[in-house]
Amino acid sequence: MSDIYPSAQEIQPKANYGWLSLRRKSGQEAKRTIARLEYRIGREIGNELVLPDPVISRTHARILCTDKGCQLEDLGSANKTYLNDEKLPPHEPRPLIEGDVIKIGEYTLVYHLPVPEPEPEDAEFVLTFEEAAPPSKLPELPLAWPLPPRSSYLQHLPSFFARGGLMDRFLLIFESVLAPSVQLVDHIPLILDPRTMPADCLPWMASWLDLTLNENWPETRRRDLIRAASELYRWRGTRKGLCLYLKTYAGVTPELEEEVGQPHTFRVTLRVPADEPVDEGLVRAIIEAEKPAHTAYELVIERGPAGENG
């Protein structure tokens, strides 16, 4: 068969389970028809809908279609899929209806039911394949990308490399692989900030500052201790430094009093709620590390009503 004639597959009506209108934060819009029983969405080329965004998983979600309707399923993505502002639990398909809003990364997708094709005005007059005239040109194949892809690497090359789109698509191969690493480098200040760094990085950061974190501490207190490291070292060996360290650990301000008649001896009193876990051995280790070397101390831990902070 000549190449200018459509194939038998092209002559048969394509499946249509609805369509998606896409909108990016930048304002770009596009439209994609759902023509498969399984319509995969992700950043990796090979999905039915490719969304070039590093925060989107390689295979992020999928739409499962039957004659009775479509369902949306999150495939365990790192940054989740949202249906009408509700975060979807992974691997639990949810039915889609007209106008449902899907949010994936910086993309907003609106699901629409399939539009029935209008019937010809004269149903008796239908050209057969033999009678139909050859098409003037081959049908245009839709791009796999929802929006025209433009590699950011092109800005570092002479302008003639942007012609034709070949170099653009070639560079996107490497950019899609390196984008997560580039994003990580761009967010180094957030990764090194104790307030925002991943919880797994806290012991690593504490080792840089010569701090020992107790795994039983609440995460917020471990972060507070790392944040206060410079202040703790500044006042180390003083009354203020010891109070600051104990307050960071126990969540209450300790009372320090000098023992009358006993030189170089002081008493530390901690009044903590009855439901607050306090390790006496760890408190003593903190005092030993922070007090002046020539002094002695007495530790008193008093339990108050549950939920009451001193």
Side-chain angles (χ1 to χ4, degrees), residues 34-86:
I34 303 173
R36 292 178 177 268
L37 295 175
E38 181 183 12
Y39 193 81
R40 297 168 300 168
I41 304 172
R43 79 165 188 269
E44 191 171 53
I45 296 177
N47 292 296
E48 281 68 37
L49 180 57
V50 180
L51 303 177
D53 188 339
V55 304
I56 295 175
S57 301
R58 297 178 185 274
T59 304
H60 195 101
R62 65 178 179 175
I63 297 176
L64 301 173
C65 301
T66 65
D67 294 338
K68 297 181 180 180
C70 296
Q71 293 182 314
L72 176 66
E73 178 184 1
D74 180 86
L75 298 177
S77 59
N79 292 306
K80 307 304 179 185
T81 305
Y82 293 84
L83 177 61
N84 298 324
D85 293 328
E86 178 186 354

Side-chain angles (χ1 to χ4, degrees), residues 11-163:
I11 297 172
Q12 296 175 356
K14 295 183 179 179
N16 184 356
Y17 298 101
W19 57 281
L20 298 171
S21 60
L22 285 76
R23 184 173 68 255
R24 205 172 183 177
K25 283 186 177 180
S26 59
Q28 295 172 298
E29 295 185 0
K31 174 182 175 181
R32 289 294 177 267
T33 301
I34 303 173
R36 292 178 177 268
L37 295 175
E38 181 183 12
Y39 193 81
R40 297 168 300 168
I41 304 172
R43 79 165 188 269
E44 191 171 53
I45 296 177
N47 292 296
E48 281 68 37
L49 180 57
V50 180
L51 303 177
D53 188 339
V55 304
I56 295 175
S57 301
R58 297 178 185 274
T59 304
H60 195 101
R62 65 178 179 175
I63 297 176
L64 301 173
C65 301
T66 65
D67 294 338
K68 297 181 180 180
C70 296
Q71 293 182 314
L72 176 66
E73 178 184 1
D74 180 86
L75 298 177
S77 59
N79 292 306
K80 307 304 179 185
T81 305
Y82 293 84
L83 177 61
N84 298 324
D85 293 328
E86 178 186 354
K87 182 168 65 177
L88 294 183
H91 306 293
E92 294 186 14
R94 295 288 179 85
L96 291 174
I97 61 174
E98 172 68 28
D100 274 349
V101 179
I102 305 167
K103 290 186 179 179
I104 299 178
E106 63 174 19
Y107 291 90
T108 300
L109 297 74
V110 180
Y111 173 77
H112 299 280
L113 295 173
V115 179
E117 298 181 0
E119 297 182 359
E121 296 181 0
D122 190 350
E124 296 181 358
F125 182 73
V126 179
L127 290 175
T128 63
F129 174 72
E130 290 78 9
E131 297 170 335
S136 59
K137 62 179 181 178
L138 291 175
E140 296 183 1
L141 297 177
L143 294 174
W145 299 80
L147 301 171
R150 299 295 297 176
S151 172
S152 61
Y153 294 173
L154 284 175
Q155 62 183 320
H156 305 296
L157 297 176
S159 59
F160 66 82
F161 281 106
R163 300 174 184 173

